[in-house]
Amino acid sequence: MATSDVNDAPASKKIKLDDKNGDKINDEHDDNLVKTLSDFKLEKILSNNSNRKTICIQGSFPGKDGIALLIFEKKSFTDTEFNNDDGYLTENSVLKYVFKNDVYYSYECFPDLVLSGLKTTIIYPATEKHIQKFSQQNIHLVNETVDLYNKITLPHIQKEQFSLDWVYNILDHKSESERIVFEDSDPNIGFILLPDLKWDGKTLETLYLVGIVHCKGLKSLRDLNDSHLPLLRNIYTKGVKAIEDTYNLPASQLRIYLHYQPSFYHLHVHFTYLKYDAPGIFTEKSHLLTNVISNIELIGDYYQRVTLPFVVRENDNLFKKFETEKILKPCPN
Ligand code: G7M
């Protein structure tokens, strides 16, 4: 079992990280941006979600130009953390007594530091669009007819969208190549399956992978027609098999879906554990891949004809464009 020091942490906070899962501990990695957060200058808290136990803060690093977003997420428990010698049920879990009433004893538990890691994402340099995306704000439902798509949404996507560099880095094996779970390199029906940025890659209870297609130019659900059925069926069949082989989870325990609108306009499919309420699984945002395939099998140009609902944030320029057109009606006519 490899161990590693988090060397730049203050002595009082130095912890031994135990490489139980054979993972590399990445603090010495060339791509690492920072080793501690002591220099992070907080500007404001953009959102604080007590249900998801996530917080997003805006700030900067001295000597580094531009804005940084820091996203913390408290992790879920895993069953193994209760079966391991170095899990929660050890002398390292210090209990602080709070009170007793009848048979009810209340404590605060301070477990081993290794168990209290926070999933942490830093976006740097962050753009105005990233700040909008992570800011707490009202959301609205839009019923997007094909005409509205062509008149408002499509020109908006063509004008302003998040960079797809991270997607191309994955497809070109320049980033995250060691995280790839499965690849079919066929240029027409192939894809790469890998852990989503939001997943720690280990906790099965929150399993979240993303399948990114190799072919370029497919922006979203709206572009799909019967010529893409081989691609969609391939993603379903091979994605399911790769997850079954790697994580021992059958297709019946997976939620496989596309977002509309997606954040990133290069076609990708989400694979999450069915029991996990992953962000963005609600009816106004997610479309099951099996439904998508079935709709296209029935009507080849279904997604070029159907009215699609989607949720838009109030600060998003897309919302402002729909609002200007005064077409935010609950029911299309
Ligand atoms: O909402 P949309 O369907 O566009 O979802 C895009 C997904 O890509 C989200 O679930 C993100 O968490 C995920 N994602 C975003 N980025 C920037 C990355 C990344 O750099 N690597 C990986 N593996 N997933 C990402």
Side-chain angles (χ1 to χ4, degrees), residues 166 170 176 179 195-198 208 259 262-264 268 270:
W166 71 271
I170 289 172
E176 302 189 54
R179 285 160 46 86
D196 190 278
L197 182 66
K198 290 198 279 285
Y208 198 146
H259 278 161
S263 303
F264 300 96
H268 54 275
H270 302 251

Side-chain angles (χ1 to χ4, degrees), residues 192-258:
I192 286 182
L193 182 73
L194 82 170
D196 190 278
L197 182 66
K198 290 198 279 285
W199 189 38
D200 65 8
K202 288 181 226 158
T203 314
L204 278 191
E205 290 79 353
T206 55
L207 178 133
Y208 198 146
L209 294 115
V210 61
I212 304 176
V213 302
H214 267 299
C215 61
K216 293 190 176 151
L218 283 176
K219 292 184 288 305
S220 75
L221 199 52
R222 270 280 182 224
D223 289 341
L224 296 176
N225 60 39
D226 47 3
S227 73
H228 304 115
L229 284 173
L231 168 71
L232 300 174
R233 291 187 188 122
N234 192 46
I235 295 174
Y236 183 87
T237 316
K238 294 197 180 141
V240 157
K241 170 140 187 5
I243 291 177
E244 174 133 37
D245 292 348
T246 314
Y247 304 102
N248 203 18
L249 279 180
S252 59
Q253 292 186 20
L254 297 176
R255 182 189 294 108
I256 306 171
Y257 55 100
L258 293 92

Side-chain angles (χ1 to χ4, degrees), residues 63-280:
K64 293 191 198 300
D65 287 342
I67 293 168
L69 299 188
L70 176 63
I71 302 151
F72 277 141
E73 178 178 356
K74 293 205 179 184
K75 289 196 207 160
S76 310
F77 293 109
T78 65
D79 293 359
T80 38
E81 288 164 348
F82 289 84
N83 292 322
N84 277 352
D85 290 347
D86 44 6
Y88 282 93
L89 308 181
T90 71
E91 61 185 10
N92 293 337
S93 289
V94 177
L95 286 181
K96 185 179 157 209
Y97 172 81
V98 181
F99 69 88
K100 174 201 176 209
N101 184 347
D102 187 38
V103 293
Y104 305 99
Y105 294 80
S106 175
Y107 296 91
E108 197 171 354
C109 177
F110 299 92
D112 195 293
L113 270 182
V114 169
L115 295 168
S116 53
L118 295 173
K119 175 148 181 17
T120 305
T121 305
I122 297 178
I123 303 180
Y124 174 80
T127 63
E128 195 48 44
K129 213 166 159 57
H130 287 118
I131 297 170
Q132 273 175 22
K133 177 175 157 105
F134 287 97
S135 297
Q136 217 137 9
Q137 58 195 283
N138 283 336
I139 51 175
H140 295 263
L141 197 67
V142 171
N143 283 301
E144 183 199 66
T145 60
V146 174
D147 284 349
L148 290 175
Y149 173 74
N150 287 322
K151 187 174 167 201
I152 301 180
T153 313
L154 182 59
H156 171 81
I157 300 168
Q158 284 162 341
K159 192 163 156 244
E160 51 176 291
Q161 59 166 294
F162 282 122
S163 159
L164 295 177
D165 286 353
W166 71 271
V167 172
Y168 301 142
N169 285 343
I170 289 172
L171 295 176
D172 296 342
H173 290 231
K174 288 184 186 155
S175 299
E176 302 189 54
S177 55
E178 69 292 348
R179 285 160 46 86
I180 293 177
V181 171
F182 173 79
E183 175 164 14
D184 174 342
S185 51
D186 186 285
N188 299 313
I189 62 164
F191 67 104
I192 286 182
L193 182 73
L194 82 170
D196 190 278
L197 182 66
K198 290 198 279 285
W199 189 38
D200 65 8
K202 288 181 226 158
T203 314
L204 278 191
E205 290 79 353
T206 55
L207 178 133
Y208 198 146
L209 294 115
V210 61
I212 304 176
V213 302
H214 267 299
C215 61
K216 293 190 176 151
L218 283 176
K219 292 184 288 305
S220 75
L221 199 52
R222 270 280 182 224
D223 289 341
L224 296 176
N225 60 39
D226 47 3
S227 73
H228 304 115
L229 284 173
L231 168 71
L232 300 174
R233 291 187 188 122
N234 192 46
I235 295 174
Y236 183 87
T237 316
K238 294 197 180 141
V240 157
K241 170 140 187 5
I243 291 177
E244 174 133 37
D245 292 348
T246 314
Y247 304 102
N248 203 18
L249 279 180
S252 59
Q253 292 186 20
L254 297 176
R255 182 189 294 108
I256 306 171
Y257 55 100
L258 293 92
H259 278 161
Y260 195 76
Q261 301 284 335
S263 303
F264 300 96
Y265 289 88
H266 174 104
L267 196 78
H268 54 275
V269 175
H270 302 251
F271 292 76
T272 60
Y273 181 41
L274 193 56
K275 273 164 75 183
Y276 170 46
D277 292 342

Side-chain angles (χ1 to χ4, degrees), residues 276-291:
Y276 170 46
D277 292 342
I281 58 168
F282 301 108
T283 50
E284 67 274 19
K285 177 128 185 167
S286 69
H287 298 252
L288 287 178
L289 178 59
T290 46
N291 272 354

